[in-house]
Structures are given as C-alpha cells and as structure tokens.
Amino acid sequence: MKNILLVGLGGFAGSICRYLVTIYSLRVLAPSLPYGTLIVNLVGSALIGLLAGALLKMNNQFYQLLLITGFCGGFTTFSSFSIEGLGLLKEAQYYQYVTYVTVSVFGGLALCLLGVWIAQKLLA
C-alpha cells in the first residue's frame, strides 16, 4: 500500500506540473505546435534520465517509486503526444506534424541519454 501511495503522490505532483507548463506555454508561445506537451516530454525525458542514473545506482526504491514512476509518469504525456499528433495530421499540418514527432522522439531520447550521462558523472 505504501508503494501505491508513493506512486500516486508523485503522479499527482507530476500531473499538476504538466498542467501548469501547458497553461503557461499557451499564454507565452504561439499555438502552432502543442508546445506544452513538447516541453514536458523533453524535460521529462531529461529528468527521468537524471533520476534513473542517480537513483537506480543507489537502489533506493522509495525515491524510484515517488520520482521516476510517480512524478515522471504523471509529468510526461506521450498519450497526449499521440492524440495531438493525430490532430495535426487531421488538419493537414504535415510540416508541423513531422517537426513535432521528430523533436519529441529524438530530442527525448537524446535528453534522456544526456541525463543518464550527467548523473553518472556527478556520482562518479
């Protein structure tokens, strides 16, 4: 039961942060791309890499469940990514779709790798 509560607490905080980033990005950035989702997926990919690099090495299940499974799981939005990508296709915004998918996937992977590398260097 404790583990479920940790994941839920982390997910609660991550979901709220995702919502705030999305609202803020809509106010600040042009609505030509779903920037809120793009930002949280890229930041979340870097964050999960940092956390995985640090916490998995420490073998600390408390923080793994709270931060990796809970917070990052609630913060990142690849389900939203999918539906928003389909929306771009439906509206025949092909250039925006290709840009969005490319930056999300390759940027996320690159930032996750960078996060793991930074965590390993800091903990070395």
Side-chain angles (χ1 to χ4, degrees):
M1 184 63 145
K2 178 181 128 186
N3 291 350
I4 292 170
L5 291 174
L6 286 172
V7 171
L9 181 62
F12 175 77
S15 295
I16 290 171
C17 288
R18 177 181 70 220
Y19 174 73
L20 293 174
V21 168
T22 299
I23 295 301
Y24 182 75
S25 71
L26 286 172
R27 290 184 184 157
V28 175
L29 302 169
S32 59
L33 281 177
Y35 285 108
T37 302
L38 180 61
I39 291 165
V40 297
N41 283 338
L42 294 175
V43 170
S45 293
L47 181 60
I48 204 167
L50 282 167
L51 292 170
L55 297 175
L56 296 177
K57 187 173 183 176
M58 291 183 224
N59 197 23
N60 187 320
Q61 187 181 23
F62 176 89
Y63 288 111
Q64 288 174 24
L65 291 172
L66 179 69
L67 299 174
I68 294 175
T69 306
F71 184 84
C72 289
F75 184 65
T76 59
T77 59
F78 269 90
S79 56
S80 296
F81 161 80
S82 298
I83 196 71
E84 289 169 343
L86 289 176
L88 291 170
L89 285 176
K90 186 177 179 181
E91 295 173 17
Q93 295 181 324
Y94 301 115
Y95 176 78
Q96 290 89 341
Y97 172 78
V98 170
T99 300
Y100 184 53
V101 169
T102 302
V103 172
S104 293
V105 173
F106 293 104
L109 289 170
L111 287 170
C112 186
L113 179 63
L114 177 64
V116 168
W117 181 80
I118 290 170
Q120 290 174 344
K121 292 295 180 188
L122 291 174
L123 294 173

